[in-house]
Amino acid sequence: MQFDLLINAIIAGLMLGAFYAAVTSGISISFGMLDIVNIAHPGFIILGSYIAYIVNVQLGADPIVIAIVALPAFYALGSIIYEIYYRSFEKHGQDSLRGLAFFFGLLFVTEVVLNMVFGVDYRSVNVPYIGGSLTIGWMEFPIRMLVPAVVSILMFGGLQIYLSRTFIGRAVMAVSQDPQALQLMAVDPIRIKRIAFSISLATASMAGAFLIIIQPVIPSSGREYIGRVFAICVLGGLGSLPGTLIAALLIGVIESITSTFYGPSWAPAVSFGLLLLTLAVRPSGLLGR
Amino acid sequence: MAANTNSISIEGVDAGYGLVRVLDNVSLRVNSGETVALLGTNGNGKSTLMKCIMGWARPSKGRIVAEIDGEKHDLAGLSTEQIVDLGIALVPEGRRLFPRQTVEENLLLGASRPKARAHIKTNLDFCFEIFPRLAERKSQLAGSMSGGEQQMLALARALMLNPRILLVDEPSVGLAPLLVSRTIDAIKQLKDHFNLTVLMAEQNFTQALRIADRGYVIVHGKIEFEGNSADELNNNDLIRQFYLGM
Ligand SMILES: Nc1ncnc2c1ncn2[C@@H]1O[C@H](COP(=O)(O)OP(=O)(O)O)[C@@H](O)[C@H]1O
Ligand SMILES: [Mg+2]
């Protein structure tokens, strides 16, 4: 095993992991903190990719800037989806199986609509830094990985500060523990869940931009992430954003090392092996509840 | 009517769960600044009455009127959050803390409503002064504390709401005798400091009557006896016989 190859694999893995963290953050909030099995989340990430794509092609704007401008729209979409989900399922205590079917349907609809509008060809964005790379000694940082990674970490830090330091953030952390007790704090648990779910959906705008900077996208690209994001979320521990970040970095590094030395086809097997092993030793995940 | 009057008045309330009627024509009053005990053994409807006040259970008959800072509010139709936001705090049965959050986070959750946020610093200082244990364990998870500490935290969290009326449902449950009397003392201290109006449900008659001005005895969902002073309750033959074991 060559040393510089290993170091570069770790660096690439950390950047990949930071990207996985952004992809998983929404699930970590909806599934980990609100008990909402939003398997449609990767579909909304792809929607974010296509929004970045279309505006980038039309106006030449940077995908990340586009994603930030689109945040309020994703937030609003999240509020609408939560309201429908709450009224149709959660309110009647039918959240688990029927809720899963609802989100599966949403995933399907998103994919079909994107297919009709954009077709099945791969789409990518035009950004000046996409081919560049930053070299320090023999360490290499491809910019198209570095930029999403850095912005992702910033987003993660922001979310964590919001959840741990604000009144609404603390209520989000409390709501799955005892929604009725939250009412005794004069806080409406449904409102808190709506806000948190909307935030979780807003992260899809960012993750979508990251994805299309890193690689070309087709409408069904979201599917490859469903298994991985839930694995990272569970590995990190439900309800813990720091846990999600650590798990995402870990999976990123392990996948990167595995594909560098043993070939990319081994990467998923090693990741899921690690997940099963961790859960056998620590059923609540790395930092979970 | 003085602007600082805070009272609660329950008038002829019937309530229950589905077809099972639990409360039968219950009337009860807590005047401004009083500590009133709602006494009764297990299963007689004390918690159901608390739930009715908080809007968790809806009376099928009667009214509940709260007077907050001299203004009257009929609680029918208000959500639990709105009732709490009027200034009515409940320390519920079983405490209902947020076990996976720290002591400090639990306290700050209590101060979520905008009207309480302005008083966070003074209220937090006072809670830590009365319950030094909570200050020592500020960053510990609420779920990892002992029963006595959890009861202190539940009381302190309710105070962070900056309430006018405090409802406490069976604070003594599950605590060792020494901790029971400490908890009851703490309720009295908090009441005096914040000038609260207190309704406390208890099955520990002796302890409750140490701090209560008056009390009601509830049996099978009916108010069977109303004592206009702690002495009157202590000396009532029925209570002595059945509840105090004398
Ligand atoms: N959620 C509920 N559903 C049905 N019955 C209930 C419920 N809660 C309490 N009860 C019944 O109502 C009666 C009064 O209960 P409760 O108000 O909890 O009494 P207490 O607080 O005095 O112990 C009991 O017979 C109890 O079984
Ligand atoms: Mg009870």
Side-chain angles (χ1 to χ4, degrees), chain B residues 38-101:
Chain B
L38 176 63
L39 304 165
T41 50
N42 239 335
N44 281 302
K46 303 183 298 298
S47 297
T48 303
L49 186 67
M50 295 293 190
K51 288 183 207 164
C52 284
I53 300 174
M54 299 316 295
W56 277 349
R58 298 289 175 185
S60 52
K61 191 188 125 251
R63 327 196 284 161
I64 302 177
V65 178
E67 189 185 5
I68 307 284
D69 294 333
E71 203 178 315
K72 289 204 163 144
H73 305 267
D74 189 330
L75 301 188
L78 295 187
S79 69
T80 302
E81 300 90 273
Q82 288 169 325
I83 292 169
V84 176
D85 200 31
L86 286 176
I88 304 177
L90 168 68
V91 181
E93 188 169 34
R95 304 175 191 115
R96 309 287 289 265
L97 297 171
F98 301 105
R100 292 195 303 271
Q101 278 167 296

Side-chain angles (χ1 to χ4, degrees), chain A residues 235 273-286:
Chain A
L235 176 64
L274 175 81
L275 172 70
L276 294 178
L277 202 69
T278 311
L279 293 184
V281 186
R282 276 186 69 90
S284 59
L286 296 174

Side-chain angles (χ1 to χ4, degrees), chain A residues 127-139:
Chain A
V127 207
Y129 52 75
I130 244 167
S133 86
L134 180 73
T135 316
I136 303 173
W138 35 261
M139 292 186 286

Side-chain angles (χ1 to χ4, degrees), chain A residues 37-102:
Chain A
V37 193
N38 180 14
I39 49 168
H41 193 78
F44 293 112
I45 292 177
I46 305 304
L47 178 67
S49 295
Y50 275 94
I51 289 173
Y53 159 75
I54 192 87
V55 181
N56 174 265
V57 167
Q58 301 288 326
L59 308 173
D62 187 279
I64 290 175
V65 175
I66 299 167
I68 292 172
V69 174
L71 280 177
F74 274 79
Y75 186 95
L77 180 64
S79 301
I80 294 167
I81 293 173
Y82 179 73
E83 210 53 45
I84 296 172
Y85 170 73
Y86 171 71
R87 286 185 199 190
S88 323
F89 308 103
E90 202 175 52
K91 194 171 161 186
H92 315 290
Q94 298 174 331
D95 25 344
S96 39
L97 208 54
R98 285 162 192 249
L100 193 65
F102 170 71

Side-chain angles (χ1 to χ4, degrees), chain B residues 131-144:
Chain B
F131 305 116
R133 280 301 257 203
L134 297 183
E136 289 163 27
R137 317 228 143 173
K138 222 159 59 171
S139 347
Q140 191 173 324
L141 294 185
S144 70

Side-chain angles (χ1 to χ4, degrees), chain B:
Chain B
M1 209 171 294
N4 57 356
T5 329
N6 299 291
S7 69
I8 196 148
S9 147
I10 292 157
E11 300 160 12
V13 161
D14 283 4
Y17 304 93
L19 291 175
V20 185
R21 199 208 276 180
V22 174
L23 298 181
D24 183 0
N25 198 26
V26 168
S27 294
L28 173 158
R29 228 191 114 67
V30 190
N31 296 310
S32 196
E34 274 187 323
T35 299
V36 168
L38 176 63
L39 304 165
T41 50
N42 239 335
N44 281 302
K46 303 183 298 298
S47 297
T48 303
L49 186 67
M50 295 293 190
K51 288 183 207 164
C52 284
I53 300 174
M54 299 316 295
W56 277 349
R58 298 289 175 185
S60 52
K61 191 188 125 251
R63 327 196 284 161
I64 302 177
V65 178
E67 189 185 5
I68 307 284
D69 294 333
E71 203 178 315
K72 289 204 163 144
H73 305 267
D74 189 330
L75 301 188
L78 295 187
S79 69
T80 302
E81 300 90 273
Q82 288 169 325
I83 292 169
V84 176
D85 200 31
L86 286 176
I88 304 177
L90 168 68
V91 181
E93 188 169 34
R95 304 175 191 115
R96 309 287 289 265
L97 297 171
F98 301 105
R100 292 195 303 271
Q101 278 167 296
T102 65
V103 167
E104 192 173 25
E105 285 168 333
N106 270 269
L107 291 171
L108 291 173
L109 274 159
S112 292
R113 71 187 191 115
K115 281 180 216 158
R117 288 185 202 176
H119 308 277
I120 285 187
K121 175 126 181 50
T122 45
N123 287 351
L124 203 59
D125 287 349
F126 182 72
C127 287
F128 285 157
E129 189 189 317
I130 299 243
F131 305 116
R133 280 301 257 203
L134 297 183
E136 289 163 27
R137 317 228 143 173
K138 222 159 59 171
S139 347
Q140 191 173 324
L141 294 185
S144 70
M145 298 204 302
S146 73
E149 290 163 347
Q150 291 196 11
Q151 189 61 61
M152 290 174 193
L153 179 55
L155 275 168
R157 187 182 64 171
L159 281 168
M160 293 301 292
L161 282 155
N162 212 46
R164 298 288 183 268
I165 297 176
L166 180 67
L167 312 177
V168 191
D169 195 354
E170 294 213 41
S172 76
V173 159
L175 300 185
L178 181 66
L179 286 172
V180 172
S181 64
R182 268 201 216 148
T183 304
I184 300 286
D185 288 341
I187 294 172
K188 167 103 176 105
Q189 258 181 302
L190 298 172
K191 188 228 136 159
D192 291 343
H193 185 269
F194 287 96
N195 216 350
L196 297 169
T197 299
V198 178
L199 175 62
M200 174 171 62
E202 252 308 333
Q203 38 181 320
N204 188 331
F205 282 53
T206 330
Q207 286 292 339
L209 291 179
R210 278 179 40 224
I211 65 162
D213 300 308
R214 296 190 296 118
Y216 297 81
V217 178
I218 186 168
V219 181
H220 297 318
K222 279 195 178 126
I223 301 292
E224 284 293 337
F225 184 75
E226 178 181 346
N228 286 320
S229 69
D231 277 348
E232 214 176 289
L233 282 154
N234 266 321
N235 296 326
N236 180 273
D237 284 341
L238 208 116
I239 292 174
R240 286 168 72 92
Q241 195 182 334
F242 286 106
Y243 299 112
L244 300 176
M246 288 188 252

